[in-house]
Amino acid sequence: RKQKDREKVDEAYGVARELVAANEDVAHLKAKFKMSSAEVGFLRSTFGHFVAIDQPGLEEGQFRDFLKRLMQYSLPDRQFRQIWFMADDNGDGLLQFTEFLIWWKGKGGEQQVAQVVAELDAEVESEKKGGKGE
């Protein structure tokens, strides 16, 4: 019994160490990319909403849902796949929050998403205008 209790304590300490390291990474990235606490808080909160309790990050489908929430649009598959491969930096199929921040601020993800949204908005407007003449 003592051995099992010790294993549980060791596991809890391991998780705590990982969380502290992740928070230090986020603090470093926040400073590096000159992000406000509000911006990091919003992104972390929204990101966390899609992460399963037993996972350290988002799987591909969860990331698609997360982007849909941020963008208010579903991305076409081709564009989503490009974004996924850029964002999942280590290629493990699980997007950690720090990887997301690096993609969002350091690799132009924010601008990439804004461009896609602008293109989708333009398509919607074009369809509305085309539909009025019929």
Side-chain angles (χ1 to χ4, degrees), residues 47 50-51 57-71 75 79-88 93-96 99-100 103-104 113:
F47 189 90
F50 292 94
V51 175
L58 298 177
E59 292 177 344
E60 193 171 327
Q62 294 165 320
F63 183 53
R64 182 184 290 271
D65 293 341
F66 169 72
L67 285 178
K68 184 177 179 181
R69 170 76 58 93
L70 283 180
M71 297 173 50
L75 280 172
Q79 289 171 315
F80 175 76
R81 299 296 302 160
Q82 289 172 342
I83 287 172
W84 174 254
F85 285 114
M86 285 179 64
D88 183 23
L94 201 61
L95 184 70
Q96 288 82 17
E99 285 179 304
F100 167 74
W103 169 73
W104 186 251
V113 166

Side-chain angles (χ1 to χ4, degrees), residues 120-131:
L120 293 171
D121 281 343
E123 284 179 27
V124 169
E125 280 302 310
S126 176
E127 288 174 8
K128 284 181 183 177
K129 289 178 183 177

Side-chain angles (χ1 to χ4, degrees), residues 1 15 22 24 43 45 47-48 62 76 85 89 114 120-121:
R1 175 166 161 89
V15 169
E24 288 173 355
L43 291 171
S45 173
F47 189 90
Q62 294 165 320
F85 285 114
D89 197 45
L120 293 171
D121 281 343

